[in-house]
Amino acid sequence: MTSERRTGTRAIARAAVQAELGQVAFELFRRDGFEKVTVDDLAAAAGVSRSTFLRYFGTKEDAVLGTADARGERVAEALRARPAHEDEWTALRQALEVAIEPYHQDPDASLAMTRLIRDTPALCARQLEKQHGWRPALARALAERAGSAGTPTIGQWVRASAALDCLNAAVDHWSDSEGRFDLVTLLDEAFAALGPA
């Protein structure tokens, strides 16, 4: 087996373990409340040592939001891959499909996760902090699409920021409706509200 293949296999195994630990944490947080659950509780529920749990997640917040950073990079990659003829606003909207993949896969589980995050101040703050880190990546992706390897323009920064605000507004509205509304439609409406008249 080649070194690259071993590394790939290890990464897959690590991602599977991390997903399993994250699911255990999510269920425990839902049942007992985020603030009441300790890292020791999470490790015990998952059947691993505290140090093993912390090797996968540095904090309790990361057990819920650990994939947020990677998702932001994936949104930026999707944005770079959009057709060159698409305007930036349309490309941003389409790239954000990556951000709502959990909704497409399992709307009920996605709603439960969203509610946990929105109802827990520490998680909500941490999610916004992580999402703030998406902005430079999205602005750079817009600059690259425009053929510039340099610094994004102020307009590209504003559009990247506005796109994430549209995402958050749509998710908030969807969560407030207890999932009665369609998240994709809400996201389209949020983008339309700021798009060309």
Side-chain angles (χ1 to χ4, degrees):
M1 185 181 282
T2 67
S3 173
E4 275 182 23
R5 193 160 172 193
R6 277 195 301 273
T7 302
T9 302
R10 266 189 250 125
I12 291 168
R14 179 177 174 78
V17 171
Q18 193 170 34
E20 181 64 29
L21 292 176
Q23 186 60 39
V24 169
F26 172 62
E27 294 300 333
L28 205 55
F29 292 147
R30 276 183 70 191
R31 190 187 76 200
D32 298 342
F34 181 81
E35 300 300 337
K36 293 181 181 176
V37 176
T38 67
V39 170
D40 289 332
D41 295 333
L42 294 170
V48 298
S49 69
R50 176 186 171 88
S51 62
T52 296
F53 191 88
L54 290 173
R55 199 172 11 211
Y56 287 92
F57 300 110
T59 65
K60 288 194 317 180
E61 290 85 358
D62 287 341
V64 177
L65 302 171
T67 61
D69 294 330
R71 189 169 292 136
E73 281 304 318
R74 288 177 47 231
V75 172
E77 288 169 15
L79 181 54
R80 283 185 204 93
R82 295 302 305 165
H85 69 272
E86 258 181 3
D87 66 88
E88 290 183 339
W89 196 235
T90 301
L92 279 161
R93 166 60 193 91
Q94 295 308 314
L96 281 176
E97 282 298 312
V98 172
I100 61 172
E101 275 177 3
Y103 167 78
H104 290 296
Q105 293 167 1
D106 188 340
D108 292 336
S110 183
L111 180 61
M113 178 68 79
T114 299
R115 294 182 69 80
L116 173 67
I117 292 168
R118 296 290 196 252
D119 294 343
T120 308
L123 287 174
C124 193
R126 184 77 173 120
Q127 182 187 43
L128 290 174
E129 179 187 328
K130 283 180 172 283
Q131 203 179 70
H132 186 74
W134 296 13
R135 294 170 199 267
L138 295 183
R140 280 192 303 273
L142 288 175
E144 289 171 24
R145 287 183 80 247
S148 169
T151 305
T153 66
I154 187 68
Q156 289 164 336
W157 274 98
V158 168
R159 280 185 284 285
S161 297
L164 292 174
D165 286 340
C166 286
L167 173 65
N168 288 330
V171 169
D172 285 345
H173 203 70
W174 172 65
S175 177
D176 289 345
S177 79
E178 308 225 354
R180 287 190 312 275
F181 299 137
D182 178 63
L183 179 56
V184 174
T185 301
L186 291 171
L187 187 54
D188 287 339
E189 290 175 1
F191 266 74
L194 291 181

